[in-house]
Amino acid sequence: MDYLDDAILHHLQQDSSLTNTELADLVGLTPSPCLRRVKKLEADGVITGYRAVLSDKALGRGFQVIVTAEIIVNDQKTIEKFESRIAGFEEVIECHRLFGNPDYFIRVAVRDLPSYERFLVEKLSGLPAVGRVTSLISMKTIKGVN
């Protein structure tokens, strides 16, 4: 990879709907070599896909909570059941198993605080072996993931 590949990746990350001609103009190439570079980046697994960035607020999911969870039973069957259930909740937009404490980092997106309370009480707290849940509500997003 060189500076042109870096420029291509930068512009595609900003707007993956750019046409090849637009992208070529932005990075200072003609369309054919630009397309070859993009195809190579795709073939090499550097570019793994393209997506639309949706508005959580417009979808009624503008209230996001960072949740940490600790589980009290660590047998494989319980862990698999917990992870399967949490992955199936539409409110959960991200979940990571961590080393150490807490055991899980979960990002939840819902309409508002009452919706989060329902999720917490009716779904998350009822999962197998949940010992402690901590909810962190963000004051302001400084840098987010698109």
Side-chain angles (χ1 to χ4, degrees):
M1 284 192 21
D2 61 16
Y3 73 96
L4 286 171
D5 292 331
D6 288 339
I8 288 169
L9 295 173
H10 169 76
H11 288 292
L12 286 176
Q13 283 180 300
Q14 299 305 308
D15 183 0
S16 66
S17 69
L18 290 169
T19 66
N20 182 58
T21 303
E22 292 168 333
L23 181 60
D25 286 343
L26 288 169
V27 299
L29 289 173
T30 57
S32 292
C34 183
L35 183 59
R36 278 195 298 274
R37 283 177 176 266
V38 170
K39 293 297 183 192
K40 181 164 180 10
L41 290 165
E42 291 171 349
D44 291 348
V46 176
I47 297 174
T48 59
Y50 300 89
R51 64 187 179 120
V53 178
L54 308 177
S55 167
D56 288 324
K57 186 175 180 179
L59 294 170
R61 297 166 52 103
F63 187 79
Q64 292 194 15
V65 181
I66 298 165
V67 180
T68 62
E70 296 178 24
I71 57 173
I72 54 177
V73 178
N74 284 315
D75 65 273
Q76 191 64 32
K77 185 176 181 180
T78 303
I79 290 170
E80 288 172 1
K81 187 173 183 181
F82 174 87
E83 291 179 358
S84 174
R85 299 270 311 276
I86 198 91
F89 293 147
E90 69 179 73
E91 298 90 346
V92 173
I93 57 175
E94 184 177 1
C95 182
H96 301 269
R97 186 181 338 164
L98 306 174
F99 287 102
N101 283 332
D103 298 307
Y104 292 90
F105 171 93
I106 306 160
R107 212 161 50 104
V108 176
V110 291
R111 178 174 301 284
D112 51 23
L113 184 58
S115 299
Y116 175 68
E117 181 182 12
R118 275 191 306 281
F119 168 77
L120 181 64
V121 171
E122 296 172 9
K123 293 183 177 180
L124 185 59
S125 296
L127 291 178
V130 171
R132 173 180 288 177
V133 173
T134 302
S135 301
L136 305 165
I137 299 173
S138 174
M139 182 184 319
K140 168 173 124 176
T141 300
I142 310 306
K143 181 177 181 179
V145 177
N146 289 336

